Amino acid sequence: MMAAAQKPASRQPEYRDGHGFIAEVIRTNRRKSADIRVEDGAVSVVVPVNTPAEKIDQLLAAKRRWIKEKITLHREMTPASSKRYVSGEAFSYLGRNYRLKVETGNFAPVKLLNGRLVVTVPNGTEQPHMVRNALVRWYKRQAEQKLTEKVNRFAPVVGVEPTGVGIRTFKSRWGSCTAKGKLEFNWQIMMAPNRMVDYVVIHELCHLIRHDHSPEFWWEMTRVMPDYPHCREWLKDNAFNFSL
């Protein structure tokens, strides 16, 4: 089984309050300088492993205007959502709806507790955006764990060995297979029922055998997942429901 797709090493999430946004701190031995990223409206800062928190705060303060511009640009480009990101709203995870519970205080990442998605964020006008970003981070973490587990489970059944698993944001597809054999998945698939997630994983694994949608490809799908036509049609009919 591929080394790159083993269960990710657990690390304690670390966050800094950027006053208007929350930045996730990613510490690594592979960098000698800091790098700020804004993806899906969420901020992360990649730093050398021993960088003091005070230095990270200084960096975020120095780049605050640039970060806010990137966040604003993302909001303007993102289709309007009916969600208000307040307590009581329902969000789907693996086909089940969970109610959101927003608590006020120092930022704490989303936790699934007693059937509720609980997140703690500072009060203020930016609170709904912080809640959305916290949910995006949570879904991405769940996707990284669950999709990697599913790839490791189904790869031997399909008879392939992918080189890795990645989580991305796609506008109009659930997954892709790179020329080097890495599978990449849209984190939003985690809102769909479990069997639909299986379909997406098996679909991309079968692309390691056939890179097209020829009859031979669909034969491979039938061999591994005879009920795939139902899953394919269900996703086509319900894709509009899976967005934040």
Side-chain angles (χ1 to χ4, degrees):
M1 191 57 61
M2 72 247 178
Q6 294 299 320
K7 185 177 180 180
S10 60
R11 59 179 175 81
Q12 190 66 27
E14 180 183 354
Y15 301 92
R16 305 301 300 175
D17 190 343
H19 304 289
F21 63 87
I22 300 296
E24 180 176 7
V25 179
I26 301 172
R27 297 180 180 272
T28 176
N29 288 316
R30 292 178 288 183
R31 288 197 67 89
K32 294 183 178 180
S33 60
D35 180 31
I36 296 177
R37 303 169 184 172
V38 183
E39 299 173 341
D40 296 318
V43 183
S44 59
V45 53
V46 185
V47 296
V49 67
N50 292 322
T51 305
E54 294 77 9
K55 187 171 183 179
I56 297 172
D57 290 340
Q58 292 170 5
L59 176 65
L60 293 173
K63 295 290 186 178
R64 188 172 187 275
R65 177 175 299 211
W66 177 84
I67 293 170
K68 294 288 285 184
E69 287 175 353
K70 287 285 189 181
I71 294 173
T72 300
L73 181 62
H74 174 266
R75 289 177 191 165
E76 292 173 349
M77 295 177 64
T78 302
S81 172
S82 60
K83 298 291 189 182
R84 295 191 299 137
Y85 308 103
V86 296
S87 291
E89 276 189 312
F91 291 85
S92 180
Y93 172 60
L94 293 179
R96 288 187 57 188
N97 280 334
Y98 295 91
R99 296 290 176 180
L100 178 65
K101 184 178 181 182
V102 179
E103 299 181 342
T104 301
N106 293 329
F107 178 81
V110 174
K111 294 181 178 64
L112 184 54
L113 296 173
N114 301 321
R116 290 183 177 270
L117 292 169
V118 182
V119 60
T120 305
V121 291
N123 206 352
T125 59
E126 297 294 319
Q127 188 180 82
H129 304 295
M130 289 187 183
V131 172
R132 181 190 181 277
N133 289 345
L135 285 166
V136 170
R137 286 190 175 108
W138 183 79
Y139 275 107
K140 284 184 174 181
R141 287 187 184 279
Q142 299 307 307
E144 183 179 34
Q145 177 186 345
K146 298 293 186 182
L147 290 168
T148 297
E149 290 174 357
K150 287 180 181 293
V151 166
N152 282 335
R153 184 197 318 162
F154 288 118
V157 181
V158 177
V160 294
E161 292 188 8
T163 59
V165 174
I167 306 302
R168 289 187 56 188
T169 299
F170 291 115
K171 288 186 178 181
S172 59
R173 56 181 173 174
W174 297 117
S176 70
C177 174
T178 72
K180 294 184 178 179
K182 181 180 180 181
L183 306 184
E184 297 181 327
F185 297 101
N186 188 338
W187 58 270
Q188 290 172 309
I189 192 61
M190 299 309 293
M191 300 181 194
N194 202 49
R195 188 58 174 167
M196 308 306 155
V197 183
D198 289 347
Y199 163 77
V200 170
V201 170
I202 293 169
H203 186 110
E204 297 308 326
L205 285 168
C206 285
H207 274 313
L208 293 175
I209 299 174
R210 298 288 305 194
H211 287 279
D212 51 26
H213 288 117
S214 62
E216 290 81 4
F217 169 82
W218 294 115
W219 183 88
E220 294 291 345
M221 285 294 300
T222 301
R223 177 178 64 85
V224 180
M225 191 179 198
D227 63 333
Y228 85 81
H230 163 72
C231 299
R232 181 174 62 175
E233 291 305 311
W234 192 96
L235 283 172
K236 284 182 180 179
D237 294 340
N238 293 274
F240 65 93
N241 290 321
F242 307 138
S243 64
L244 287 181

